[in-house]
Amino acid sequence: MISPRSPPGSSSQSPRSPSAPPFLSVTVTDPVKLGNGVQAYISYRVITKTNLPEYQGPEKIVIRRYSDFVWLHDRLAEKYRGIFIPPLPEKSAVEKFRFSAEFIEMRRQALDIFINRIASHPQLKQSEDLRTFLQEDEETMERARSQETGIFKKKPADLIQIFKDVQSKVSDVVLGKEKPVEESNPEYEKLKHYIFELEDHLAEAQRQAYRLVKRHRELGQSLSDFGKAIKLLGACEGDSLGKVFADLGSKSELLSIKLQKEAHNLLMNFEEPLKDYVRAVQSIKATMVDRANAFRQQCELAETTKLKEINLDKLMLMRSEKAMEAEIEYKELKAESEEATRRFETIVKLMSEEMVRFQEQKTADLGLAFHEFAKGQAKLANEIADAWRSLVPKLDACSPSLCS
């Protein structure tokens, strides 16, 4: 789901020229390990190039770490309900993988995709939090993270109570004590079914892609080991057969390098995009949870408002002194109910627009990934066939019986 980027500096016009088309291009680069032990982390240079007037200048370079990206993601998720917030790569908890060159490059690429999706999104790119992330110094970012609110900043005791409340709620539903309030929308039910199926199929495709990467690596290692062994065998011969064995060993080692290179290409350009779309579907599911919560809140407020209205009518018929106070409460609750309805309708509208964007981007991204996969496999197969074919005349010459 790599968002297209506008190439900055491709025109002779000044980036701030009124006639230049608006662009916002971001690059995540130069990962550097800082600190030691459990305190160690990776920092990245984030380079922003833009001609948008709300930014401080045409180019800005800041240093960011993974937790800064998490801060931006969570802020957007909190403020833009109904929009599919681009997913972040997972945080590896395994020390030996966390700082491997391959993991660091995979993380850098995923973060670059994440930030450019936001920068190319019609609503998210206008976020003040994005501008903070792209422009402010490290101290300002650290203060912003420390001021974060919401569930992630609650005390352990508060979190335990939240989990107990959720567990109690789920138990009530399972035991039939409470019937969950859900939308009865056939089209939305079809969408939910599609999303859950898509997640399963993407996850399985990603698992099989990983097996392909592993197979290429194992075959590459086997060819390397075989090449070394056959060259040693050739050294014992010392004649024309020894020369052919040396050539065979060299070809095996050369093909080993090609297979390892293709394994890396498969990992970065095939398995990773599939894994990224698994995460993207999880972002859609998170938006579905927001939609379900908004629908439930709308229904509950509508029901409460109706009860307040009935109670108000009774008090007014009785000419009760409490009628005036009840009317104020009713009007406040009605306004809150109408606002909840607007929130739900906004989420529904945004989700519909987001699904169109998602499908278009998925078609483009996965189409490119599969195209590159097929092209890489075809090239590798030709190179392997050419390498072995070039040895056949030499082996024929050493084995006259094969030609008879």
Side-chain angles (χ1 to χ4, degrees), residues 119-386:
S120 65
H121 192 282
Q123 282 88 31
L124 299 181
K125 70 180 180 182
Q126 300 174 34
S127 164
E128 183 181 342
D129 294 315
L130 176 62
R131 292 196 293 275
T132 297
F133 177 89
L134 294 177
Q135 298 183 116
E136 298 300 336
D137 58 33
E138 292 88 272
E139 289 184 6
T140 303
M141 271 305 306
E142 189 173 349
R143 284 198 301 272
R145 289 201 316 271
S146 67
Q147 294 168 2
E148 188 57 78
T149 57
I151 187 171
F152 301 107
K153 283 295 178 179
K154 287 185 180 292
K155 296 177 182 177
D158 296 331
L159 290 174
I160 291 171
Q161 187 58 49
I162 289 172
F163 294 142
K164 284 182 177 177
D165 290 345
V166 170
Q167 188 178 28
S168 174
K169 199 82 170 175
V170 171
S171 297
D172 287 347
V173 172
V174 172
L175 296 173
K177 295 179 182 177
E178 179 179 331
K179 188 176 181 181
V181 181
E182 295 182 356
E183 288 183 67
S184 57
N185 182 327
E187 285 302 312
Y188 187 49
E189 286 302 313
K190 283 173 60 178
L191 174 61
K192 288 196 288 186
H193 180 72
Y194 164 74
I195 290 300
F196 279 91
E197 272 202 334
L198 179 63
E199 182 180 32
D200 289 342
H201 296 325
L202 281 170
E204 180 60 23
Q206 184 262 318
R207 281 191 290 271
Q208 298 306 321
Y210 174 74
R211 289 183 63 191
L212 282 173
V213 172
K214 187 178 178 183
R215 178 181 175 276
H216 279 64
R217 284 177 169 165
E218 289 173 346
L219 181 56
Q221 186 60 52
S222 296
L223 278 171
S224 177
D225 295 340
F226 173 74
K228 290 181 176 70
I230 208 69
K231 284 169 80 173
L232 290 172
L233 179 61
C236 293
E237 298 295 331
D239 54 13
S240 58
L241 183 60
K243 176 71 167 62
V244 172
F245 281 2
D247 288 345
L248 178 59
S250 296
K251 289 290 184 184
S252 295
E253 290 177 333
L254 178 65
L255 289 177
S256 169
I257 294 171
K258 290 182 181 295
L259 276 159
Q260 295 292 357
K261 182 180 178 181
E262 181 57 23
H264 180 74
N265 289 337
L266 273 175
L267 177 68
M268 302 301 293
N269 303 319
F270 189 57
E271 194 219 342
E272 274 298 301
L274 286 169
K275 186 189 292 185
D276 183 61
Y277 265 91
V278 173
R279 293 191 292 255
V281 170
Q282 290 166 356
S283 293
I284 296 176
K285 289 169 68 177
T287 306
M288 287 178 165
V289 170
D290 287 340
R291 174 168 172 164
N293 289 337
F295 180 77
R296 190 175 298 113
Q297 186 180 36
Q298 170 197 250
C299 292
E300 289 172 354
L301 281 170
E303 185 176 348
T304 305
T305 303
K306 185 65 179 174
L307 292 173
K308 283 283 185 184
E309 184 180 18
I310 293 170
N311 182 55
L312 175 62
D313 289 342
K314 287 180 180 177
L315 291 173
M316 293 186 74
L317 284 172
M318 295 167 58
R319 300 181 183 276
S320 170
E321 295 177 354
K322 297 180 180 179
M324 184 176 294
E325 183 181 344
E327 184 176 10
I328 294 172
E329 289 179 1
Y330 166 71
K331 287 180 178 179
E332 290 176 349
L333 194 60
K334 185 179 179 183
E336 191 178 344
S337 176
E338 290 170 351
E339 178 58 30
T341 299
R342 281 193 293 270
R343 278 198 302 270
F344 171 70
E345 290 172 348
T346 298
I347 289 176
V348 171
K349 178 177 178 293
L350 287 172
M351 275 193 70
S352 178
E353 295 170 356
E354 289 291 284
M355 276 307 301
V356 172
R357 282 173 53 83
F358 172 78
Q359 295 289 36
E360 290 175 350
Q361 198 68 62
K362 175 169 65 68
T363 299
D365 290 342
L366 294 187
L368 177 62
F370 278 90
H371 177 268
E372 291 300 308
F373 165 73
K375 191 167 71 172
Q377 292 296 291
K379 181 183 177 186
L380 179 64
N382 287 333
E383 289 175 343
I384 291 173
D386 289 344

